[in-house]
Amino acid sequence: MEQFIEWISQPWPWYVAGPLIGLTVPILLLVGNKSFGISSSLRHVCAMCVPANIPFFKYDWKKEMWNIVFVVGVLLGGFVATTFFSNPDIIVVAESTQRDLAALGITDYSKLLPVEIFSWENLLTGKGLLFFVIGGFLVGFGTRYAGGCTSGHAIMGISSLQWPSLVATIFFMIGGFLMTHVLLEPLMKMVGF
C-alpha cells in the first residue's frame, strides 16, 4: 500500500496521462454516444437549480446527469489528491521561467498556484479584482462565445474532426500566447506588482 501511495503521489509522465485523457473520447462515444466537456455542466447545474422560466435552461437536464457526476468526480478527485496525495516537493519550474516570473514579482513555488497572486489575502484587492473577477468573467464569456471550453474543443472536438473546435483551439492558444508575452506584464504592474 505504501508503494501505491508513493507512486500515485508523483506526477505522471505525459506518455501515461496523455493517452488516458485521450481515451476518454472513444470510450464516451462508444459507451454512450456522449461528448466530453466540462463547461456544459454549468448549464446543467443552472437548469437543475434555477427555477426561472429561462428558455436556455428549459431542457431535460436529467439526460446529462453523467456529466454532472463526472464534474463532481473531478472536484472530489482534486480535493483528495491535494489533501492526501500532494507532492511535498517544491514545484519544478525552468530557470528561464523563474527569471521571467521573478521580474513580475512571483518567486514562491511552494504551492500549485503562485501565492503572490492566488491567496485569500488578495481576494479583495486590485489583484483579486483583476485575476478572480475580471479574469473569471473573461473565461466564462469566452467559453460561452466559443461554444465550449478547452477540454471540450481541444480534446473532444478536434479528435472528432470538428472544424469549429480546431478554430477555437487555435484562438485559445493565440489568446494564451498574447496574454503571456504581451499583456501580463503591464497588467501585473497596473495592480501593484
Side-chain angles (χ1 to χ4, degrees):
M1 183 65 170
E2 190 173 311
Q3 288 178 331
F4 175 75
I5 302 269
E6 176 65 26
W7 173 74
I8 204 159
S9 298
Q10 300 302 316
W12 291 9
W14 64 267
Y15 52 84
V16 174
L20 286 175
I21 292 170
L23 286 173
T24 59
V25 173
I27 289 171
L28 283 172
L29 288 173
L30 291 172
V31 170
N33 198 24
K34 305 286 185 191
S35 62
F36 177 75
I38 299 296
S39 61
S40 58
S41 62
L42 180 59
R43 179 182 183 212
H44 306 323
V45 169
C46 289
M48 182 171 41
C49 298
V50 178
N53 195 16
I54 301 170
F56 185 67
F57 297 131
K58 293 197 74 76
Y59 65 96
D60 187 11
W61 56 266
K62 292 175 185 163
K63 285 189 201 173
E64 304 299 329
M65 187 55 92
W66 73 272
N67 193 284
I68 294 170
V69 171
F70 180 82
V71 171
V72 168
V74 168
L75 293 172
L76 285 174
F79 173 77
V80 168
T82 57
T83 305
F84 302 109
F85 300 117
S86 63
N87 188 338
D89 300 334
I90 291 180
I91 305 295
V92 178
V93 178
E95 287 184 30
S96 59
T97 304
Q98 286 184 25
R99 283 191 301 274
D100 292 343
L101 291 173
L104 297 173
I106 298 171
T107 56
D108 185 355
Y109 305 108
S110 62
K111 305 278 186 212
L112 191 57
L113 297 172
V115 176
E116 292 90 351
I117 297 173
F118 299 100
S119 66
W120 289 108
E121 294 81 30
N122 287 337
L123 190 59
L124 299 175
T125 66
K127 292 178 205 173
L129 177 69
L130 177 68
F131 287 101
F132 298 130
V133 177
I134 297 172
F137 172 78
L138 288 173
V139 167
F141 174 79
T143 299
R144 182 72 187 113
Y145 188 74
C149 60
T150 51
S151 62
H153 281 298
I155 297 171
M156 184 72 191
I158 290 177
S159 63
S160 58
L161 304 176
Q162 295 181 28
W163 173 250
S165 291
L166 177 62
V167 172
T169 303
I170 289 169
F171 279 96
F172 291 151
M173 297 301 295
I174 290 171
F177 292 138
L178 184 68
M179 181 66 195
T180 301
H181 296 291
V182 178
L183 300 173
L184 185 60
E185 186 174 356
L187 288 172
M188 295 283 274
K189 289 180 181 174
M190 186 176 78
V191 294
F193 268 95

